Amino acid sequence: MASLIPCPHCGTRPRQEFSVRGDATPVRPAPMAADEVWNDYMHVRANPRGRIREHWQHIAGCRRWLVVERDNFTHEVFSVSDASLEQGGAR
Amino acid sequence: MRYSAFSIFKQALAGNLGWKPAWREPQPKPHYDVIIVGGGGHGLATAYYLAKEFGVRNIAVVEKGYLGSGNVGRNTTIVRSNYMLPGNEPFYEFSLKLWEGLEQELNYNVMLSQRGIISLYHNDSQRDHYTRRGNAMMMEGVAAEQLDRDTLKKMLPFLNFDHARFPIIGGLLQKRAGTARHDAVAWGFARGADRLGVDLIQNCEVTGIRRESGVVTGVETTKGFIGCNKLALAAAGNTSRVGEMAGLKLPIESHVLQAFVTEGLKPCIDHVITYGAGHFYISQSDKGGLVFGAEIDGYSSYAQRGNLATAEHVMEEGVTMIPGLSRVRVLRAWGGVMDMSMDGSPIIDRTPIDNLYLNCGWCYGGFKATPASGFCFAYLIAKGESHHVARALRLDRFERGFPIDEAGVGTQPNLH
């Protein structure tokens, strides 16, 4: 993981200020969605090598939930955006 | 060539010129009965037990790097069976029993050292939890012992017993646990498998899995197409990538775990010690270096290197537990890519494709499981059904609602 993360609200900050939740791709299904849909959301991960989207929280800064788009092999960070601006991926 | 005291003596007299390579370097044949993807501890153990116990002789292990280049050479070498849940404990105890006979079995010194593992605890509820775990172990016939603070003070005087936040009030001991020389385990299984006729094909990366009418017919590799009747995946760390070639969607995320070793010291830590206040574990290697590690970095990673923030955290945990560690210099740090499953427990199972078998999800507990994983995976491949100690390690346990969650943290792979 890169040592610096550019927070869209606070600017570039050390990685220690951030806390990771996990994969930002799965979208929470509707409460009464089929079991298979819930299983996919809860348990199944694409887990690609390369470009991924991940949820991080800037816990020692603005405390906003962020979507970090980065490479999980080279650790390059491509973009960081506020999770509430994401289509569907927001919580 | 069988290794013995006599063979060492004989070769020494002959100037050590007569040693043969421990395994052949064959070119792939066009077709095998079983191909195992992944020449690490688990893949090699699977090949060995398939040939030895289940009479399958026409086997290849294909490895993209060199044998044992993955996590079998990157772990902290701890061997133990102090698990709690019924789905896990019999499996790991079976593994420990195989470890205890492994050197004779393989005719190879894996330097198993049953020095005991002590899991420290720091408050009443943690003591209750470890008492429960010890009781669960004894229910499965595995010895466990509670050590009180005074006993621990005599055994491990260097610990920080009176830390204001995390005083040490006791520990759970499994005497039969210990460490093993990790590379030797891979080499021992490789040599054993090779002697039984298994082709170990190195520098041969699988690039595709060929399927016809719903079954696997072989693998595309950097050394060309190799056909097979059955395909077995033991590619932990890269399971999702290999699985994707067969269209599998898996409950796995790849994460990085770091490990560290210090400069060599005189013997000072006689056991494997784990810290209950964090996730720190430490032991001393036969060369004298202190080998230690803690939890995973916590973010998705396929890189075999970790983040400095986690390294710092690990050092802080170590110094909190053993203040004297602050004077020791760290020599090396490295990382390995872990298959983190959704409940922290592994998978040894069939897949929706009839002749494709899966061994994955070892999180960071795969090393101790090496012999049992190989044995049970070989059993599954040969007989088409799960070995009785591995029958809970099913791929479909998540959707059926039977996870094996030792830590009790739910479906968060980075928290296991």
Side-chain angles (χ1 to χ4, degrees), chain A residues 1-89:
Chain A
M1 182 57 202
S3 295
L4 297 171
I5 297 175
C7 174
H9 307 294
C10 311
T12 300
R13 295 301 184 94
R15 171 248 179 277
Q16 281 93 326
E17 289 188 6
F18 298 80
S19 163
V20 62
R21 189 195 69 84
D23 195 345
T25 321
V27 177
R28 192 182 182 84
M32 298 312 288
D35 287 355
E36 297 75 41
V37 179
W38 272 101
N39 178 54
D40 277 359
Y41 168 71
M42 293 289 288
H43 302 125
V44 178
R45 295 291 177 269
N47 194 24
R49 186 174 88 172
R51 215 176 170 103
I52 60 152
R53 292 166 70 251
E54 211 168 37
H55 278 136
W56 290 71
Q57 189 186 14
H58 194 183
I59 47 163
C62 57
R63 298 196 61 79
R64 294 293 296 175
W65 279 99
L66 308 170
V67 174
V68 177
E69 193 174 14
R70 62 184 188 88
D71 190 304
N72 64 7
F73 186 64
T74 66
H75 294 336
E76 184 182 356
V77 175
F78 302 113
S79 70
V80 182
S81 56
D82 195 292
S84 66
L85 303 175
E86 288 277 316
Q87 291 291 321

Side-chain angles (χ1 to χ4, degrees), chain B residues 210-264:
Chain B
R210 197 182 286 181
R211 281 179 292 164
E212 270 166 40
S213 33
V215 294
V216 172
T217 56
V219 286
E220 310 282 354
T221 73
T222 48
K223 294 191 175 181
F225 175 77
I226 313 173
C228 64
N229 294 341
K230 291 176 177 176
L231 183 65
L233 307 181
N238 284 289
T239 299
S240 300
R241 295 177 65 222
V242 183
E244 194 192 6
M245 296 173 193
L248 298 181
K249 288 164 69 185
L250 299 171
I252 302 285
E253 251 182 46
S254 293
H255 284 260
V256 65
L257 176 68
Q258 302 190 63
F260 307 85
V261 67
T262 70
E263 60 189 333

Side-chain angles (χ1 to χ4, degrees), chain B residues 73-76 256-263 290-294 297 303-308 310-312 314-315 329-336:
Chain B
R74 290 172 172 269
N75 55 73
T76 43
V256 65
L257 176 68
Q258 302 190 63
F260 307 85
V261 67
T262 70
E263 60 189 333
L290 303 178
V291 182
F292 60 93
D297 278 26
Q304 288 175 319
R305 63 188 185 283
N307 195 272
L308 198 57
T310 306
E312 189 178 19
V314 175
M315 307 294 166
R329 281 162 293 199
V330 172
L331 277 192
R332 289 186 294 124
W334 63 94

Side-chain angles (χ1 to χ4, degrees), chain B residues 280-299:
Chain B
F280 186 81
Y281 37 88
I282 189 166
S283 64
Q284 189 166 20
S285 80
D286 292 301
K287 277 199 290 186
L290 303 178
V291 182
F292 60 93
E295 51 273 88
I296 52 176
D297 278 26
Y299 47 81

Side-chain angles (χ1 to χ4, degrees), chain B residues 26-56:
Chain B
Q27 286 303 308
K29 290 190 274 188
H31 191 273
Y32 291 93
D33 290 343
V34 178
I35 292 180
I36 297 162
V37 180
H42 292 221
L44 294 167
T46 305
Y48 174 79
Y49 287 116
L50 258 181
K52 172 86 190 313
E53 301 289 336
F54 303 102
V56 183

Side-chain angles (χ1 to χ4, degrees), chain B residues 110-177:
Chain B
V110 302
M111 296 168 73
L112 179 71
S113 160
Q114 291 180 288
R115 56 185 70 182
I117 186 167
I118 299 170
S119 308
L120 302 174
Y121 49 77
H122 311 272
N123 54 47
D124 288 349
S125 60
Q126 227 177 6
R127 183 190 55 213
D128 292 350
H129 171 74
Y130 278 129
T131 304
R132 182 184 171 208
R133 198 206 289 199
N135 286 340
M137 289 163 64
M138 288 194 281
M139 295 279 279
E140 297 290 345
V142 182
E145 214 176 297
Q146 283 283 15
L147 303 176
D148 62 19
R149 185 179 152 99
D150 291 337
T151 312
L152 277 177
K153 274 191 164 172
K154 288 193 193 95
M155 286 171 76
L156 311 168
F158 47 80
L159 295 179
N160 188 359
F161 284 91
D162 300 312
H163 191 279
R165 177 93 191 276
F166 306 115
I168 294 166
I169 63 170
L172 182 70
L173 167 68
Q174 186 189 15
K175 273 187 179 165
R176 286 163 59 236

